[in-house]
Amino acid sequence: EAMMTQRAVRRLLPDDVDDGIVLRCIELALRAPSGSNAQSWQFVVVRDRQVKHALARQYRVAWALYGGLGRRVVRGDQAMTRILDAVQHQVDHFEEVPVMVVACVKGLSHMVPVAAAQSIHYGSVYPSVQNLLLAARSMGLGAGLVTLPLWNLRRARRVLGLPWNVHPVCVVPLGWPRGRYG
């Protein structure tokens, strides 16, 4: 049922999400398969207002370019305009998201400029992110995968307090959906 009804939910209530629910979602995310069974992923749970503000600032910078271009490209397409409006809402209210989970990969292969090494490296984390999204859905939470807040990886790593060998891949905002789910 979670797979059949899953969608990106960008309009979230600012209401708190219990730590137990967040931890259960992460426990289920950790059950995902990975290449060589390395499970080289890590999850950073962000609740700190200053960290959320810094990520929101990065999101706004990237969205100013990407969203503006997107609106010109989809002009006249009502379905795509609704999606862009939802993303704009998320951008405008990013600090209000009660909890953000940042999926990261640990290791050095992200530093290798060989596409195959990078594919293996990133390909291992996304099944766990999908598990996280499905777990959130099964618990009634809204969630979605966002990458624009991480466009400046050096700054994102500094904001999140990550060591040089831990690479943030995506942010999963978690919260109770504003209105109906879907």
Side-chain angles (χ1 to χ4, degrees), residues 91-111:
V91 170
D92 293 342
H93 299 275
F94 207 58
E95 288 103 333
E96 298 168 22
V97 171
V99 62
M100 298 174 190
V101 178
V102 182
C104 304
V105 288
K106 184 177 181 181
L108 303 177
S109 58
H110 68 276
M111 301 175 118

Side-chain angles (χ1 to χ4, degrees), residues 45 52 57 98 120 132 174 182:
V45 177
K52 289 193 282 187
R57 199 170 43 233
I120 291 166
L132 177 66
L174 291 174

Side-chain angles (χ1 to χ4, degrees), residues 74-169:
V74 305
R75 189 173 294 138
D77 183 338
Q78 289 182 346
M80 286 305 296
T81 299
R82 278 195 310 274
I83 291 170
L84 291 174
D85 289 346
V87 175
Q88 183 66 59
H89 176 85
Q90 185 178 54
V91 170
D92 293 342
H93 299 275
F94 207 58
E95 288 103 333
E96 298 168 22
V97 171
V99 62
M100 298 174 190
V101 178
V102 182
C104 304
V105 288
K106 184 177 181 181
L108 303 177
S109 58
H110 68 276
M111 301 175 118
V112 179
V114 178
Q118 290 179 348
S119 176
I120 291 166
H121 191 68
Y122 296 117
S124 290
V125 73
Y126 283 113
S128 65
V129 172
Q130 176 66 2
N131 274 15
L132 177 66
L133 293 168
L134 289 170
R137 173 62 190 113
S138 72
M139 295 182 194
L141 290 171
L145 185 154
V146 183
T147 57
L148 288 179
L150 305 176
W151 71 271
N152 183 327
L153 289 173
R154 197 172 36 140
R155 184 175 296 143
R157 189 179 284 115
R158 188 171 53 243
V159 163
L160 294 165
L162 299 175
W164 64 273
N165 64 336
V166 176
H167 186 77
V169 175

